[in-house]
Amino acid sequence: MRKTSEHENPWTILSSKEIYNNPWIRLVEHQVLNPSGGEGIYGVIHFHHLAIGVVPYEDGHIWMVGQYRFPLEAYSWELPEGGGPLGMDALESAKRELREETGLEAAKYEVLFEMDLSNSVSNEQAIVYLATGLTPGEADPEDTEDLVVCKISLEEAFAMVERREIRDSLTVTAVYKMMLMQNTGRILE
């Protein structure tokens, strides 16, 4: 079997058809030749927004947001997070999400990580910021959000991930990254 270099696309698109489009996502179905030369279809979800997350951190604690997630039909504990329109400054979107969901303002932001969220079926990308130097304020969630905000220790958030009580991908990744930073002695403020 021939191996493809990391810069070569082994897929051939024969045709493409938009199946669905709304303000958040667009679904495109492609007729393809796969890397082995077989014919098939490939559906790709294109997101119109960047996934944005924020870890508000202070003195060994982070703020979490609890809410019911419609697609999962379940309650979820997660970071303050949402979407930022493509082409808009991601940091401005992060500041907006933090302020809307928790009322917090941060003096300092740094990129904690970037990731592809489900690269086998979508092009959704995420960026998560660490926010420090926090000042409390009044939360102003969107009409679609019924949120519970709490401040918990990083260790408790880690325990919740380990008990599978926190399952949101951005939050799980952020908690693990924060624990790694703490355990390797990186100063977080």
Side-chain angles (χ1 to χ4, degrees):
M1 173 189 252
R2 181 175 92 76
K3 295 289 183 193
T4 305
S5 79
E6 68 180 89
H7 301 290
E8 182 182 354
N9 181 355
W11 293 82
T12 301
I13 298 174
L14 302 172
S15 66
S16 300
K17 176 173 67 170
E18 183 176 278
I19 303 298
Y20 179 78
N21 195 358
N22 72 23
W24 300 276
I25 62 171
R26 179 171 65 100
L27 174 61
V28 177
E29 182 179 278
H30 302 280
Q31 300 297 319
V32 298
L33 294 178
N34 66 34
S36 298
E39 290 187 17
I41 62 169
Y42 210 118
V44 178
I45 302 166
H46 298 273
F47 282 77
H48 297 303
H49 294 85
L50 181 66
I52 303 286
V54 182
V55 181
Y57 177 85
E58 181 179 69
D59 297 325
H61 290 79
I62 63 174
W63 277 255
M64 301 283 293
V65 176
Q67 64 181 308
Y68 187 87
R69 287 296 192 177
F70 184 87
L72 302 176
E73 298 181 7
Y75 201 80
S76 177
W77 283 102
E78 54 203 47
L79 299 173
E81 59 188 44
L86 295 175
M88 182 178 176
D89 181 36
L91 180 56
E92 290 306 310
S93 295
K95 290 176 179 180
R96 176 185 40 78
E97 286 298 329
L98 181 62
R99 188 175 43 255
E100 281 179 3
E101 294 190 0
T102 67
L104 295 169
E105 302 269 348
K108 181 180 175 188
Y109 287 85
E110 68 178 85
V111 174
L112 193 59
F113 61 88
E114 296 179 48
M115 64 190 282
D116 298 320
L117 293 178
S118 185
N119 63 9
S120 66
V121 295
S122 85
N123 69 342
E124 187 176 25
Q125 296 179 323
I127 186 166
V128 174
Y129 292 90
L130 174 61
T132 55
L134 304 173
T135 304
E138 187 74 26
D140 187 24
E142 296 177 7
D143 292 343
T144 59
E145 298 173 319
D146 183 13
L147 306 176
V148 173
V149 179
C150 70
K151 179 181 176 182
I152 64 172
S153 71
L154 182 56
E155 286 76 12
E156 178 55 25
F158 180 75
M160 291 174 72
V161 168
E162 291 292 296
R163 291 189 304 260
R164 298 184 199 117
E165 294 168 12
I166 294 176
R167 298 171 49 95
D168 171 70
S169 62
L170 295 183
T171 306
V172 169
T173 305
V175 169
Y176 280 140
K177 175 86 184 251
M178 295 290 292
M179 287 299 291
L180 177 65
M181 291 168 65
Q182 176 178 284
N183 292 339
T184 57
R186 176 161 176 212
I187 304 296
L188 295 174
E189 302 215 39

